[in-house]
Amino acid sequence: MPRKKNKTAVIYTRVSTKGQVDQTSLGSQLQQAEKLCKSKGLKVIGRFSDPGRSAYGKKDKQISLRKAVKVTCETKSTLVVYDASRLGRSVVRTVRTAQELTDAGAELVMIASPIDGKPACGMGAVERQEGAGEAS
C-alpha cells in the first residue's frame, strides 16, 4: 500500500547580505512560497529565515536552515525554498540536504531552480516548479 503523502510544508527563506534584508527579497521569497503551498494544498507548519546569512563557508552559519530541515524531516513534510542557492552555494551541500530530506521521507520543492528533479537524476524528492518564479 503506498504511503499517504503528507500535506504539510515548511518554508525556508534566506538572503546573503544585510542590504538585501531591507529590500523585498525575503518578502518575495515568502510570498511565492506561500502561493505555491496554497496551490498544492499544503498547510504551512513552519517558516524559517536566515536574513543576511551567506551560504558560503560553514553550514552552521545557516542556523534557521538546520532548524527547517529538522522540522521537515521529523514531520515528513515538504521543504519549500525559492531555489537551490538558498540551501547553499555548493552542489554537494544542496545534494546532501536533499538526500537528508529523502532519507527521512520528506520532500524538497524549489520554486525556481536549474535542477532537473526527475527520479533518473537520483533526486526524486526534488521537484522544480516550472514558471512559479515568473511574474504574473
Side-chain angles (χ1 to χ4, degrees), residues 68-69 72-73 79 96-108 125:
V69 170
T72 304
C73 289
L79 180 63
R96 282 184 183 150
T97 301
Q99 189 63 54
E100 181 180 354
L101 292 162
T102 300
D103 290 349
E107 295 184 36
L108 174 62

Side-chain angles (χ1 to χ4, degrees), residues 67-122:
K67 290 177 183 177
V69 170
K70 181 179 181 192
V71 169
T72 304
C73 289
E74 288 173 350
T75 59
K76 297 185 183 343
S77 294
T78 299
L79 180 63
V80 179
V81 298
Y82 180 72
D83 65 18
S85 70
R86 301 305 88 197
L87 301 176
R89 293 294 186 180
S90 87
V91 173
V92 172
R93 184 176 297 165
T94 301
V95 171
R96 282 184 183 150
T97 301
Q99 189 63 54
E100 181 180 354
L101 292 162
T102 300
D103 290 349
E107 295 184 36
L108 174 62
V109 172
M110 292 181 238
I111 297 167
S113 183
I115 292 178
D116 183 347
K118 294 183 181 90
C121 294

